[in-house]
Amino acid sequence: MIKDKSVQVFLDELASKASTPGGGSAAAIIGAMGAALISMVANFTVGKKGYEDADADARDILQHSEDLRDQLTGMIKADVDVFNRVMAAYGMPKETDEEKAARSEEIQAALKEATDVPLACAHASAEVIKLCQPIAEKGNKNVISDAGVAVLAGQAALRSAALNVYINIGGIKDAAFRSDRQKQLEDILAGMDALTEDVYELVKSKL
Amino acid sequence: MIKDKSVQVFLDELASKASTPGGGSAAAIIGAMGAALISMVANFTVGKKGYEDADADARDILQHSEDLRDQLTGMIKADVDVFNRVMAAYGMPKETDEEKAARSEEIQAALKEATDVPLACAHASAEVIKLCQPIAEKGNKNVISDAGVAVLAGQAALRSAALNVYINIGGIKDAAFRSDRQKQLEDILAGMDALTEDVYELVKSKL
């Protein structure tokens, strides 16, 4: 699995002429890095002298950020798997009418999954952004710049995942599915760029 | 070295209660991912039927993006090394006047290096952003979303590196150094958010 490969090998494979890993896996890793940086700031806040008032919140944030990190790390592989499913679907035989129908059905099912995987990544990345606000407000000031890096990583992951939703949704024939997922994505994206700027400015003001 | 550790171990260490790796290394990796994704799009364009007119440009872009990827990958370790140098400087003995003077001198030298390392990361990340425009314009449309992920990664890396410049520059007493590096950073940042949006919208329009 990609997460078990070295950073160097991952980067080499990302750069290579191979379809996977691609931007979807990159988005998941960047989001996971954002979640990890929130955890780092929380870890430097829990039990820290001078941060007694923030202790309970930092513990809650840490639990949440580690959960998001798990989710996003899982999406590195999910993105590769669903990409391979879509490619396999397009490669199915299409000689007879039965074959054409089966192929078309599988392509549609694969594209729906290929929409829902980055949509889940977008959702988790937006949660990363939201979690940066309380940790930037209450977290240990000595590592507060890491909350700023976290929010930028969350934003890059969110907007990257959105691109991967847009690609796959275009090929889906089920109009109700399309409009439902488009609405979900719009809801996830709403306000996230403004929140990112707020957290970034908050962090800058504390440096 | 961090780049030889698995993605999972890197994320675990990033999240842990250890000062390194931190946001500086994360920024360098995100920037390197941006450069790698440009390389991927270029690799899918060079020698590709239908992209003969873009071939020479894609080869140039690939050379440049791979050079940036090398630079940014090197900065993962450079960030850790300079952080350790700053910590070691603050840990120097400060009993006698001679010790105080030596410690103060080393702190200042270390902080200058700790400003120049993320400044170099910011510079390389801005180059990643700039390189996304021609590859998004001319690159293989089948993988064009990866150019969109690349520009978002470049932006997150650039703004993260800027935070790390801001932290360290504050402690530097040499006013001429401070204003020189502040000016350099402003020049690097100028126009990059607008360019990121332009490339992102260009990519979206091609999906």
Side-chain angles (χ1 to χ4, degrees), chain B residues 131-142:
Chain B
L131 211 51
C132 287
Q133 189 167 44
I135 201 66
E137 280 170 357
K138 297 168 188 171
N140 188 325
K141 280 192 184 181
N142 291 335

Side-chain angles (χ1 to χ4, degrees), chain B residues 73-86:
Chain B
T73 305
M75 289 172 196
I76 305 169
K77 181 174 183 300
D79 183 80
V80 173
D81 290 346
V82 76
F83 180 88
N84 289 336
R85 181 180 175 187
V86 172

Side-chain angles (χ1 to χ4, degrees), chain A residues 21-57:
Chain A
S25 293
I29 292 183
I30 294 172
M33 287 168 69
L37 286 163
I38 296 172
S39 297
M40 179 186 172
V41 181
N43 271 319
F44 272 93
T45 307
V46 169
K48 179 82 181 173
K49 204 176 162 182
Y51 290 89
E52 290 80 4
D53 290 350
D55 199 80
D57 285 338

